[in-house]
Amino acid sequence: MNTTTKYAATALAAALGVTVLAGCGGSDDQASDDTGAGSKTVTLVSHDSFNASDAALKAFTKETGYKVKVLKSGDAGAALNQEILTKGSPRGDVFFGADNTLLSRALDNGLFTPYEAKGLDRVAADTQLDAEKHRVTPVDTGDVCVNYDKKYFADRKLDPPKTFDDLLKPAYKNLLVTENAATSSPGLGFLLGTVATQGETGYQDYWKKLKENGVKVVDGWEQAYNEEFSGSAGGRKAKADRPLVVSYASSPPVEVLYADPQPTEAPTGVATGTCFRQIEFAGLLDGAKNEAGGKALLDFLISKQFQEDMPLNMFVNPVVEDAELPELFTKFGATVDKPATVAPEKIAKNREQWVQSWSSLVVK
Amino acid sequence: MAAPVAFFALFFAYPVAAIVGRGLKADGAWQFGRIGAVLSRPDILDVLWFTTWQALASTVLTLLIALPGAYVFARFDFPGKQLLRAVVTVPFVLPTVVVGTAFLALLGRGGFLDELWGVRLDTTVWAILLAHVFFNYAVVVRTVGGLWAQLDPRQEEAARVLGAGRLAAWRRVTLPALAPAVAAAALMVFLFTFTSFGVVQILGGPAYSTLEVEIYRQTAQLLDLPTAAVLTLVQFAAVGGILAVHAWTVRRRETALRLVDPAQTARPPRGAGQRALLGGVLLTVLLLILLPLGVLVERSLDTSGGYGFDFYRALQSADANGSTFLVPPLDAIGNSLRYALVATLIALVIGGLAAAALTRRAGRLVRGFDALLMLPLGVSAVTVGFGFLITLDEPPLDLRTSWILVPLAQALVGVPFVVRTMLPVLRAVDERLREAAAVLGASPLRAWREVDLPLVRRAVLVAAGFAFAVSLGEFGATVFIARPDNPTLPVAVARLLGRSGELNYGQAMALSTILMLVCAVSLLLLERIRTDRSGEF
C-alpha cells in the first residue's frame, strides 16, 4: 500500500505538471485576472447568442480603459437562472440577455442595481419597460415571426399566409413547423403571440384548430429551421417538406449572408402579421466587483457604435433612434409594424399555466 | 484512497448536496413532504415510466446486437481490425447534437429509409433506441471484448477434451468468466440510456421526456428547484439500486482468471460458420455505425457548387462575414485536445488509485465507495453544473470561471470508466503470483511492476482511451464553463448549428467530421501503443 501511495504521489505530481502546462498553452488569463474594484477588466455574463465584433470591444477598451471579458452560459433562460442562483456573489459585473418574457423573474429576484445609462433619452420609449427604476436597460429588439419558403408558394401559385388567422386555412394544412414552447425561446414567443392576438381564453381554441390543421412541433429552433423547414439551406439538403416555420424576422437576411454565392433575393420571407416582439435588457449585477466598469459597459451597450455593430453579429434590431441598419437588413429584412406584445408581469404570472395547457393541447 | 475520496467529496458530493438541499429546504427546515407531492404528479410518473422502459429496451437491444461484435473483435483476426475498433468507438464520443442530426438524416423524411421503403422513424421510439445502440455499441465491444480477448481458449478446449459439448463448455467455462464484464457493460449501457438527454430531446420530439430531460427543464428553464431536487433523488435511488444489484452479481462471479496476451487468442476465421458470423458483424457495423457517420461526411462536402472542401476552408477564419466566434473554429480542436488530455490524466490518477485501493481491501465501506464512484454517471450535468455555481464561489476555490473546471467535470465522468475497466482485471490477478514474487525476494513495488502491470496495462490503455474519448465529446459540463474564447469542439458545433444559413450548417457538419476524425485517430493511437514489458512508466 505504501508503495502504491508513493507511485500515486508521483503520478499526481506529473498530472498536475501537465495540467499547468496545458493551462499555459491556452489563452488563459487567470493569473492576471484580478477582477475587483479598480480592476481593468469588466465581465459581461450572457447567453450563448451574445456576439460582438472585436472592433467594437476594442473601441470600448480604448475609450474607457476597461477590457471586456465575456462569459456565456447556456440559452437565455438557463443563463438568467444561473444568475439568480448565484445572486449576491455574481460571476460578473453586467448581465445581458433578460428578455421581456423573463424580465419579471429577474426583477423579482432583485438581481440588478439601478443605474440610469447615459444616452437613455435616445432609446425608443416603448422598449423601456423599467423606466421608473432603471434596474435594466433595453439593448435590442427582435421579432419572432413565421417565415415562409418563397419558392414553394411561387411554384404552387399560392399566396403565403400573413396573419395568425391565415395559418388555420385549409390551404396551409400540414405546412407549419414550430418549436416546443416549454423549452424554446421562439416557441414561447409564438405561443405568446397567439395569446396576445387570440385572447387569454381564445388561444387554446386557436391551438386546437392549428393542431387540426397539422402543425408539427419539434423541440428546438435548430431542428425546426435546419431540418424541417424547406426554405433554409439545411432544410433543402435534408429535403424538408414544411415551407412554414416559426423563426425570426431577421432570418431571411441571415440566409442571404451565409449563402455562397449570395443570391440577389432572400429565399425566404416573413409573415409580418404573425410576429411577437422580444426586447432584450442588460443590467448591473447586484454585488458586482467592478461597478464603475459595469456602468461604463452599460453606457457602451446603447452607444451608437455598439448598436450599429449588433445587427450583423446577433441579428437583432437596435433600440436607439440614431443607429442605422446595415444594408443587408434594409434590403432583405422585413419591417414589422405591429408586433404582438404581452406585459412582462402578465407573462410572469401566467407563463407556466399557458405553457402547461399548451403542452397538454398540442404535444401530448 | 484519500485522494479519490477527497476529489469526489469536493467536486461531486458537496455541489450536488448543496443544490438538492436548496430545493428541499425552506426557511431552514427540511421539507420532505415535497417528495410525495412531486411523485404523485401524473406527468412525472409518465416520465419515470418512459425513462425506465426505454432504458431496458435499449440495453437489451444493445447487448443483442453488440455481443456477437465483442466475440468477433476478441477472437478473430481480420484486416483493418484495429481501425474498425477505433471507428466503432467514435459514436460514443460524438456530441448528441451531431448524432441527432445524423440520425434525422437517416431515419427522417427524405432520409435513407424513406428513399428505399418510404419508412420514417423520426419522432418514434425506434429512432431513440437505434441511436442508443449506435452510442453504446462500443461500450459492450470494448468492455466485454477486452476481457474475452484475454481469456485462455485452452480452458474451454480442456473442458471439451473432458467430454463437455461445445455449448456446455462455453456455459461452464467462458460464460462465468465473462459474466462480470457483461454485467458491467449492461449496467453502463443501462445507466447511459436511463440518463439519456440529447438523443431523446432531438429524436423523440417534445412528446418523449426522460428523467434527465425533465431535471434539466425544471432546473435550467423553470428554476423549480424543489421538483428538480426530488427528481435528482429519484435518479440517485434508481442508479444506487442498479449499482447495488451489479455489485452483488459481480461479487458472486468474480474469480481469479487466467489472463493471457490477447495477441495469442485471435485467429483468422475458419469455416463457413465463422465467416458468416464475421460478415454479419461487419454488416451490422456498416449499417448501424458507418452509415450515420457517413451521412455527416457527405453533408460536410455537399456545397451548393457540387462536392468540395469549401466548408472546411471557411473553418480557418474567425470571421466568415459575421463573427460567430472570437477565434477560428479550428482552434476548438486544440482546446478540446488540451482539456481531454488533462481530464484523462486526472481520471487515470483518481480512478487508478481507487481501483488499486478497491482491489486490496474488501469491506462494507469500500464496497460502498465502489458504488459511489459510479454515481456521477447517474447524475445530470445540469445538477452538477448548478451545484458548482453555488458551492465553488469562494476563494481559493472560486473555480466558476476557471478553465480547470472543464477537465475536472469531465474527469468526474471519466473516473467510473477507469475504475470499471481496471477493477475486473486487477481483481482477477491471482494473489499467489504476487506472493510468489515476494517469496523470490521482490519488493512490493517490483512485484507490482512485474506481476500486476503487464496484466493490467491493456486495461489501463482501454481506460485511458475511454476517459479521453468521453472528455472529447463531453458537452454538458463544457456548456457551464462559459469561456467563449476557448470553445471545445462540441460547443463550437452546437453554436454553428444554432445559426441559420448554409455556410454555418456546412461548417457544423465539417467540424463534426473533424471531431470524428480526431477521435478516431486518438483511439487508433491508443490501440497501437504496445509498451515494452520492461519499460518504466
Side-chain angles (χ1 to χ4, degrees):
Chain A
M1 198 63 218
N2 254 340
T3 47
T4 323
T5 323
K6 218 181 288 178
Y7 243 88
T10 322
L12 195 62
L16 285 174
V18 174
T19 310
V20 172
L21 283 178
C24 298
S27 55
D28 202 57
D29 50 4
Q30 267 332 88
S32 61
D33 187 25
D34 53 334
T35 41
S39 149
K40 284 286 130 198
T41 303
V42 58
T43 308
L44 174 77
V45 188
S46 186
H47 50 63
D48 288 342
S49 310
F50 176 84
N51 261 312
S53 73
D54 231 13
L57 295 180
K58 282 204 177 93
F60 172 72
T61 307
K62 206 169 152 185
E63 199 178 313
T64 62
Y66 294 111
K67 200 168 163 289
V68 186
K69 184 172 159 192
V70 184
L71 299 180
K72 304 183 188 183
S73 43
D75 60 37
L80 177 68
N81 287 339
Q82 289 176 58
E83 283 319 299
I84 291 172
L85 268 182
T86 56
K87 196 190 132 196
S89 130
R91 291 173 298 169
D93 307 307
V94 172
F95 179 76
F96 164 81
D99 70 11
N100 46 331
T101 63
L102 301 162
L103 184 62
S104 290
R105 191 189 294 175
L107 296 181
D108 295 348
N109 276 288
L111 275 189
F112 302 116
T113 309
Y115 170 67
E116 190 173 347
K118 291 190 187 77
L120 204 58
D121 50 310
R122 298 150 38 244
V123 172
D126 59 355
T127 62
Q128 299 194 36
L129 300 182
D130 194 40
E132 311 282 295
K133 298 185 180 161
H134 298 300
R135 288 165 296 182
V136 289
T137 309
V139 177
D140 67 73
T141 68
D143 293 308
V144 173
C145 315
V146 169
N147 282 208
Y148 59 87
D149 174 3
K150 281 182 181 167
K151 186 173 177 303
Y152 177 95
F153 290 101
D155 286 352
R156 285 164 186 71
K157 302 203 168 41
L158 181 66
D159 283 333
K162 291 186 188 67
T163 62
F164 283 107
D165 292 332
D166 283 354
L167 295 172
L168 301 178
K169 288 179 180 165
Y172 308 122
K173 195 171 172 67
N174 298 336
L175 300 190
L176 176 66
V177 59
T178 184
E179 298 86 4
N180 187 349
T183 53
S184 150
S185 156
L188 177 68
F190 188 63
L191 168 62
L192 292 173
T194 63
V195 172
T197 53
Q198 315 293 319
E200 279 179 62
T201 45
Y203 84 97
Q204 297 198 2
D205 201 38
Y206 176 85
W207 277 97
K208 268 190 208 123
K209 288 184 188 146
L210 200 59
K211 194 178 178 182
E212 279 159 24
N213 212 23
V215 67
K216 180 173 186 176
V217 181
V218 295
D219 216 64
W221 177 88
E222 289 86 352
Q223 203 186 333
Y225 194 85
N226 286 326
E227 295 284 344
E228 304 286 346
F229 176 50
S230 60
S232 71
R236 278 197 296 279
K237 235 172 248 188
K239 298 193 179 60
D241 58 1
R242 299 232 162 203
L244 297 174
V245 66
V246 171
S247 187
Y248 295 90
S250 59
S251 299
V254 184
E255 204 57 55
V256 173
L257 179 65
Y258 288 107
D260 194 27
Q262 286 204 357
T264 49
E265 192 196 347
T268 57
V270 175
T272 49
T274 60
C275 298
F276 174 80
R277 166 79 32 113
Q278 287 180 332
I279 307 163
E280 281 194 295
F281 299 87
L284 185 63
L285 284 163
D286 174 44
K289 292 196 184 79
N290 184 356
E291 269 205 16
K295 286 173 178 171
L297 185 59
L298 281 173
D299 296 343
F300 176 69
L301 289 179
I302 56 169
S303 70
K304 187 165 186 281
Q305 174 163 26
F306 183 80
Q307 289 281 316
E308 289 186 347
D309 180 70
M310 235 170 23
L312 284 181
N313 284 299
M314 287 195 271
F315 307 106
V316 290
N317 291 308
V319 290
V320 302
E321 279 129 10
D322 56 342
E324 275 182 45
L325 272 175
E327 191 200 5
L328 188 78
F329 272 61
T330 50
K331 200 167 154 191
F332 300 108
T335 38
V336 180
D337 295 329
K338 293 202 194 73
T341 52
V342 181
E345 45 282 5
K346 208 179 202 175
I347 296 175
K349 212 172 80 199
N350 301 304
R351 172 199 182 126
E352 297 250 334
Q353 176 219 322
W354 287 339
V355 171
Q356 283 271 334
S357 57
W358 176 89
S359 292
S360 54
L361 272 175
V362 186
V363 178
K364 297 287 178 273
Chain B
M1 192 74 199
V5 172
F7 178 83
F8 269 80
L10 185 58
F11 296 116
F12 179 70
Y14 172 47
V16 172
I19 192 96
V20 170
R22 200 179 272 211
L24 288 181
K25 262 189 186 159
D27 315 318
W30 289 96
Q31 307 279 331
F32 291 117
R34 285 176 180 173
I35 298 178
V38 172
L39 290 185
S40 56
R41 278 164 49 183
D43 56 328
I44 298 289
L45 288 176
D46 276 352
V47 168
L48 285 178
W49 168 237
F50 175 72
T51 308
T52 312
W53 86 251
Q54 65 81 25
L56 271 175
S58 300
T59 309
V60 170
L61 200 61
T62 308
L63 285 178
L64 279 178
I65 293 177
L67 278 176
Y71 177 76
V72 164
F73 276 104
R75 285 286 192 245
F76 290 161
D77 239 342
F78 51 90
K81 177 171 151 180
Q82 278 187 330
L83 178 70
L84 203 64
R85 202 203 317 253
V87 167
V88 298
T89 316
V90 169
F92 186 73
V93 301
L94 282 183
T96 42
V97 194
V98 177
V99 175
T101 312
F103 266 78
L104 275 180
L106 275 180
L107 307 173
R109 168 214 46 262
F112 195 71
L113 287 180
D114 195 14
E115 300 274 306
L116 280 180
W117 301 297
V119 181
R120 288 185 54 182
L121 292 175
D122 59 321
T123 67
T124 66
V125 173
W126 282 108
I128 297 174
L129 296 186
L130 280 175
H132 281 164
V133 176
F134 170 84
F135 263 118
N136 295 307
Y137 188 88
V139 176
V140 177
V141 166
R142 291 186 87 103
T143 348
V144 180
L147 185 70
W148 211 333
Q150 296 186 74
L151 290 183
D152 195 339
R154 284 171 304 190
Q155 291 182 320
E156 206 175 305
E157 283 156 19
R160 297 282 307 282
V161 170
L162 293 172
R166 181 175 289 201
L167 192 67
W170 188 81
R171 206 168 48 89
R172 294 269 178 88
V173 178
T174 308
L175 188 61
L178 275 184
V182 175
L187 162 97
M188 270 198 216
V189 176
F190 188 84
L191 267 187
F192 285 130
T193 51
F194 190 83
T195 57
S196 178
F197 178 68
V199 169
V200 177
Q201 233 183 354
I202 296 174
L203 292 173
Y208 296 108
S209 175
T210 53
L211 203 49
E212 186 92 0
V213 174
E214 201 58 33
I215 290 174
Y216 176 79
R217 247 196 73 208
Q218 300 289 353
T219 310
Q221 306 287 347
L222 304 172
L223 206 60
D224 182 347
L225 292 182
T227 305
V230 172
L231 293 180
T232 304
L233 288 178
V234 169
Q235 204 164 3
F236 254 158
V239 171
I242 300 163
L243 294 174
V245 170
H246 170 262
W248 178 74
T249 53
V250 169
R251 266 204 306 286
R252 277 195 44 207
R253 295 279 166 86
E254 233 165 44
T255 45
L257 303 170
R258 279 194 49 191
L259 296 183
V260 293
D261 182 13
Q264 295 170 8
T265 62
R267 300 201 192 105
R270 276 176 307 198
Q274 293 195 338
R275 282 208 191 88
L277 181 62
L278 177 64
V281 166
L282 290 180
L283 187 70
T284 314
V285 170
L286 178 78
L287 286 179
L288 189 85
I289 292 175
L290 295 180
L291 203 61
L293 298 180
V295 165
L296 291 177
V297 179
E298 193 268 333
R299 285 195 179 188
S300 75
L301 296 168
D302 183 11
T303 62
S304 49
Y307 287 106
F309 285 96
D310 302 7
F311 295 137
Y312 291 85
R313 271 192 287 276
L315 288 175
Q316 296 163 22
S317 63
D319 208 333
N321 25 0
S323 64
T324 313
F325 295 100
L326 296 166
V327 292
L330 272 185
D331 285 10
I333 298 171
N335 293 333
S336 269
L337 287 175
R338 255 199 306 273
Y339 283 141
L341 190 71
V342 178
T344 305
L345 280 167
I346 299 175
L348 274 182
V349 171
I350 301 284
L353 286 178
L358 290 171
T359 324
R360 298 283 148 97
R361 304 184 193 180
R364 193 157 295 230
L365 195 89
V366 172
R367 282 211 295 272
F369 185 64
D370 177 14
L372 209 65
L373 283 175
M374 300 288 284
L375 277 178
L377 293 179
V379 177
S380 69
V382 72
T383 309
V384 179
F386 277 45
F388 278 166
L389 278 183
I390 59 170
T391 51
L392 302 179
D393 60 346
E394 303 282 327
L397 269 181
D398 187 359
L399 299 176
R400 290 176 308 176
T401 59
S402 162
W403 68 273
I404 189 75
L405 209 50
V406 179
L408 278 175
Q410 291 174 346
L412 214 51
V413 183
V415 166
F417 284 97
V418 177
V419 175
R420 279 290 124 219
T421 331
M422 288 179 64
L423 206 55
V425 180
L426 273 177
R427 278 192 180 152
V429 174
D430 198 328
E431 185 58 37
R432 282 168 308 183
L433 285 174
R434 294 192 195 108
E435 285 161 6
V439 168
L440 293 171
S443 66
L445 176 62
R446 175 105 194 258
W448 183 83
R449 208 176 64 208
E450 301 286 348
V451 176
D452 293 47
L453 193 61
L455 290 167
V456 303
R457 183 181 289 134
R458 199 180 154 69
V460 171
L461 285 180
V462 172
F466 259 135
F468 189 77
V470 167
S471 8
L472 263 188
E474 204 279 335
F475 183 61
T478 11
V479 172
F480 291 104
I481 326 297
R483 294 185 66 101
D485 49 344
N486 282 357
T488 60
L489 274 170
V491 170
V493 170
R495 265 192 227 167
L496 284 164
L497 280 175
R499 290 261 173 125
S500 49
E502 183 182 16
L503 204 56
N504 284 321
Y505 184 80
Q507 284 188 61
M509 292 297 122
L511 213 49
S512 306
T513 307
I514 291 174
L515 177 66
M516 248 158 45
L517 289 174
V518 170
C519 290
V521 169
S522 319
L523 293 165
L524 202 59
L525 285 176
L526 279 165
E527 292 281 334
R528 296 204 70 99
I529 296 175
R530 283 274 181 275
T531 35
D532 183 32
R533 273 191 65 143
S534 60
E536 293 285 337
F537 245 17

